[in-house]
Amino acid sequence: MAKNIKTIRETKKSFISPFQEYWTKKNYLLLGSGLAVLILGYFLMAQAPWDGFFSLNLSPIILLIAYLVIIPISILLKTSSTKK
């Protein structure tokens, strides 16, 4: 029984995340900026006149940029060291 518990603890210590190889600081910064742009888009959508420029025109464009450009780039971007 004691040997079995020891091997489980050793297994937990030897586990390495598969994201460690692909996600760099640049990826996390892009993902964070994408989330910040999303928050900005939803904040602009919630502004007072529902038929105003910010809530009707600008916020959907900002949300599309965040969802279709920034977040996918942060997921798919690989550095030259991870491509090898």
Side-chain angles (χ1 to χ4, degrees):
M1 181 78 171
K3 289 182 181 180
N4 194 9
I5 293 173
K6 187 175 183 180
T7 58
I8 292 172
R9 288 182 184 162
E10 290 173 358
T11 305
K12 287 182 181 178
K13 288 181 182 178
S14 66
F15 177 74
I16 298 173
S17 174
F19 297 107
Q20 187 175 10
E21 296 176 9
Y22 301 109
W23 285 75
T24 60
K25 186 176 181 179
K26 185 185 284 187
N27 294 91
Y28 285 116
L29 288 175
L30 280 171
L31 185 64
S33 65
L35 292 175
V37 170
L38 280 176
I39 291 169
L40 175 69
Y42 282 114
F43 176 76
L44 289 176
M45 191 178 287
Q47 293 307 308
W50 64 270
D51 59 347
F53 174 75
F54 290 115
S55 60
L56 195 60
N57 296 326
L58 189 62
S59 67
I61 294 170
I62 290 174
L63 290 172
L64 279 174
I65 289 171
Y67 278 122
L68 298 178
V69 177
I70 299 173
I71 293 177
I73 285 176
S74 72
I75 294 171
L76 297 175
L77 184 72
K78 293 183 182 177
T79 60
S80 60
S81 64
T82 59
K83 289 181 182 178
K84 293 180 181 179

